[in-house]
Amino acid sequence: MPAAALKPMPTQSTVQRPVLLDLPYTPVEKRPLPSGRPREWYITHNRRLKAMRLAIALLDSGVYLPNQARNETIRTTAETIGVHPPSDTTCHMVRALMRYSR
């Protein structure tokens, strides 16, 4: 089939009726962490989860670049979303996540 005969699939901006999103968002059911791992594994795992939550909240609030996310900004965002204030290591991890997502 020639390439000119292929029609592009409609996207959300070109479709005639709006595309329905699966709202409202419901979080995934929490499961217990596996037992028997070293304590450092649990600390790192929870730190990564916190960093991801904070990075998403910063992106939602309009902070798109890592150099815009100073420690004070990250800690203010943590307070806003109801998370304990992050350490300097977690703040560094948030900036790293924002850097690598680009």
Side-chain angles (χ1 to χ4, degrees), residues 33 38-56 74-75 78 81 83-98:
L33 292 175
R39 179 172 170 75
E40 293 79 25
W41 184 89
Y42 297 103
I43 292 170
T44 305
H45 176 76
N46 289 328
R47 180 171 282 149
R48 286 179 184 151
L49 291 178
K50 182 187 243 183
M52 282 191 285
R53 285 189 205 106
L54 288 169
I56 291 168
I74 295 172
R75 289 188 176 115
I81 64 172
V83 175
H84 286 286
S87 65
D88 290 341
T89 306
T90 306
C91 291
H92 179 75
M93 193 177 287
V94 169
R95 286 188 289 275
L97 283 171
M98 293 175 75

Side-chain angles (χ1 to χ4, degrees), residues 15-84:
V15 73
Q16 297 301 320
R17 62 185 188 285
V19 176
L20 297 176
L21 300 175
D22 51 348
L23 294 176
Y25 170 74
T26 55
V28 178
E29 183 178 333
K30 290 186 177 181
R31 296 180 305 183
L33 292 175
S35 60
R37 308 247 176 156
R39 179 172 170 75
E40 293 79 25
W41 184 89
Y42 297 103
I43 292 170
T44 305
H45 176 76
N46 289 328
R47 180 171 282 149
R48 286 179 184 151
L49 291 178
K50 182 187 243 183
M52 282 191 285
R53 285 189 205 106
L54 288 169
I56 291 168
L58 285 166
L59 291 170
D60 287 344
S61 69
V63 177
Y64 300 115
L65 300 173
N67 59 358
Q68 293 175 329
R70 295 185 312 275
N71 288 356
E72 300 82 31
T73 308
I74 295 172
R75 289 188 176 115
T76 304
T77 304
E79 185 179 330
T80 303
I81 64 172
V83 175
H84 286 286

